[in-house]
Amino acid sequence: MWNFNAGPAVLPLPALEHAQRELLDFEGTGMSILEHSHRGKAYEAVHAECKALLKEVLAIPEGYTTLFLQGGASQQFAQVPMNLVPVGKSADYVITGTWAEKAYAEAQIVGKARVACTTKANDTYVRVPESSEIKVDPDAAYVHITSNNTIYGTQYHSFPEPGSVPLVADMSSDILWRPTDVSRFGLIYAGAQKNMGPAGITIVIIRNDLLERSRTDGIPKIFRYKTIAGEDSLYNTIPVFAVYFVRNVLRWVKHEGGLTAMESRNREKGKLLYDTVDALSGFYQAPVDKGSRSYMNAVFRLPSEDLEKKFLSAAEKGNMVGLKGHRSVGGVRASMYNALPVAAVKALTDLMREFASKNG
Ligand code: PMP
C-alpha cells in the first residue's frame, strides 16, 4: 500500500516495527511505554533522547530551546502571538495559503497583526513571494511565514531575510525535509504528523532571547512558553507515546544518513513527479509556479473532475491512497513526505502515463 496522505501520513516502517516489537514490554520494564509515568525513569530517557536527536539531526545551534507541546500547529497560531507580541506592538504575516490565513486570524484576536505580503491572486495561491515583495514593518515583533503550504502545494526554496525582525515559521509540513539553517529563525513550530511522527505532539524551537522576553502577564500559565520551558516540557502530562514515536522516527532519519539523505530522496521523488506532469502537460496541469513547487505536496489537475474521480479510483485499485486534493481546492495531491519511498512515486507516475494514454 502506498500512502500519499497529507497528514497524518506515511511513517517509516522501521519506526513502526520498533514500536511493535516493544509495545508490550518496553526495554525489559515489563510494561508498555504507554503505561509508564511521564515522570518515571523509562520515559525520562526517551524524552531526553528525542530532544537530543532533534538537536543533532536538525543541527539546532546553541542558544535555542526545544519545547514539546500539544494542541497541534493550530494552537501555535494563537500561542505564538500570545507570547511574542508585546502590548502595543504588532506582528507581520506573509499570507500564502489557508494555514497562513488561519495563523493571521488568530493573531488578530490576540493582538495586532498586519499583512506584510499576500500571494493570493484570482482567489487562489500559486506561489510564495520573493523576499523583496515582503514589506516588513521594522518595528514588528516578528514576521510569520508558512514554509510549505500543504493545501496549495507551494514551498519556499529560499527564506526571507527580514533583517533584525525575527523570522517565525510554521514548518508543519516540511520540517526535516532537508538541512535547514535554524539560526535564521527566531521560532520554528511544527505539528509532528507529517515528517516527524504521529499526531499529538507539536515541536517549538525558540531562540532563547525571544523565550526570555516572552510574555507572562495576562496569559494563562499553560499557554506561556516560559512555563513549558521551565519544566522541560513536563509541566503537565505529555503524550508519552507520541514523543516515543518521534524518537523512533528521528533514529530512522539519522540511520538513513540524516537530512542530506532525506533531501536527495525527496528531490528524486519531486523530480519524478513534476517531470511526468510536465511531459504530459496536455493532460495534467500543475497550477503552481515552477519556482514555488513543493517537494512535500505536489498538486495537479486533470482535464475534468470526472477524469479526476476516475484517476483517483484507478489509483486506489493500484493500492495508492490519499491522493485526493484538499476538499477546498479539489484536484489531485501527492504528499511525498520523508517516509514515502521512491517506489511509491514510480508507481504513481507509471499510472499517470498509462491513464493519460488511455484517456487523453
Ligand atoms: N500548518 C500547516 C502548514 C499544516 O499543514 C497544518 C495541518 N495540515 C496545520 C498548520 C494545522 O495543524 P494541526 O492540525 O496540527 O493543528
Side-chain angles (χ1 to χ4, degrees):
M1 180 67 68
W2 300 126
N3 178 359
F4 291 91
N5 276 330
V10 58
L11 293 165
L13 191 58
L16 286 161
E17 286 170 339
H18 187 134
Q20 183 188 41
R21 274 196 306 277
E22 62 185 15
L23 185 69
L24 300 187
D25 181 5
F26 178 71
E27 292 179 357
T29 56
M31 57 193 201
S32 174
I33 186 66
L34 283 155
E35 301 167 295
H36 274 280
S37 163
H38 62 297
R39 308 213 182 269
K41 265 205 163 40
Y43 175 72
E44 205 175 273
V46 169
H47 192 84
E49 186 188 345
C50 188
K51 247 176 61 173
L53 273 172
L54 188 66
K55 188 168 166 59
E56 180 185 344
V57 163
L58 198 54
I60 303 172
E62 291 306 312
Y64 283 79
T65 297
T66 302
L67 309 174
F68 299 147
L69 295 139
Q70 299 182 57
S74 300
Q75 180 168 305
Q76 293 314 305
F77 294 167
Q79 208 169 350
V80 167
M82 273 170 144
N83 280 268
L84 299 190
V85 185
V87 179
K89 275 231 188 190
S90 143
D92 273 6
Y93 280 75
V94 180
I95 313 292
T96 51
T98 310
W99 299 113
E101 286 174 1
K102 291 198 166 160
Y104 173 57
E106 290 290 74
Q108 283 177 298
I109 293 171
V110 171
K112 275 206 293 188
R114 201 186 69 101
V115 175
C117 179
T118 174
T119 56
K120 190 170 197 171
N122 303 319
D123 224 32
T124 187
Y125 297 91
V126 296
R127 66 186 188 91
V128 294
E130 299 289 331
S131 195
S132 59
E133 292 174 82
I134 304 171
K135 305 294 178 217
V136 177
D137 167 6
D139 213 30
Y142 57 81
V143 190
H144 179 284
I145 63 164
T146 313
S147 58
N148 183 76
N149 297 279
T150 327
I151 295 175
Y152 292 94
T154 65
Q155 186 175 30
Y156 285 84
H157 295 290
S158 64
F159 291 116
E161 290 177 17
S164 62
V165 178
L167 189 57
V168 169
D170 172 3
M171 291 197 184
S172 293
S173 51
D174 70 351
I175 192 162
L176 307 181
W177 89 279
R178 67 163 174 180
T180 301
D181 181 1
V182 173
S183 74
R184 303 258 314 258
F185 298 87
L187 186 149
I188 291 169
Y189 65 92
Q193 67 269 25
K194 291 129 180 0
N195 268 343
M196 283 191 295
I201 196 84
T202 311
I203 273 106
V204 169
I205 302 162
I206 181 171
R207 212 173 64 207
N208 287 345
D209 61 309
L210 292 177
L211 177 62
E212 275 149 29
R213 287 207 306 269
S214 66
R215 291 183 55 175
T216 52
D217 55 302
I219 301 176
K221 262 191 181 167
I222 184 71
F223 294 126
R224 298 177 194 166
Y225 287 143
K226 277 186 179 158
T227 307
I228 310 300
E231 303 283 340
D232 190 19
S233 304
L234 292 166
Y235 171 69
N236 65 327
T237 315
I238 195 162
V240 293
F241 191 77
V243 177
Y244 159 79
F245 206 94
V246 170
R247 181 206 70 167
N248 286 4
V249 171
L250 289 168
R251 278 185 178 181
W252 172 80
V253 170
K254 186 177 165 182
H255 179 261
E256 293 293 294
L259 300 192
T260 316
M262 294 299 122
E263 176 173 18
S264 67
R265 197 178 299 163
N266 287 328
R267 289 204 182 273
E268 188 183 345
K269 289 181 284 179
K271 184 166 163 31
L272 245 175
L273 196 283
Y274 289 116
D275 280 355
T276 306
V277 170
D278 291 341
L280 300 166
S281 60
F283 191 74
Y284 298 106
Q285 233 134 51
V288 168
D289 282 8
K290 281 193 177 169
S292 295
R293 284 175 168 178
S294 167
Y295 282 85
M296 296 286 100
N297 317 95
V299 300
F300 59 90
R301 310 279 332 210
L302 277 74
S304 71
E305 283 186 23
D306 272 353
L307 280 169
E308 283 171 352
K309 264 195 205 136
K310 218 172 135 186
F311 178 83
L312 292 170
S313 71
E316 272 197 30
K317 281 198 195 97
N319 287 329
M320 288 171 260
V321 297
L323 285 160
K324 198 172 190 296
H326 189 269
R327 58 191 189 285
S328 63
V329 294
V332 179
R333 170 175 56 175
S335 296
M336 304 180 287
Y337 298 119
N338 285 354
L340 186 81
V342 176
V345 183
K346 286 219 173 92
L348 175 61
T349 50
D350 284 348
L351 173 71
M352 287 168 75
R353 269 188 297 275
E354 187 194 320
F355 193 87
S357 75
K358 274 197 194 143
N359 296 277

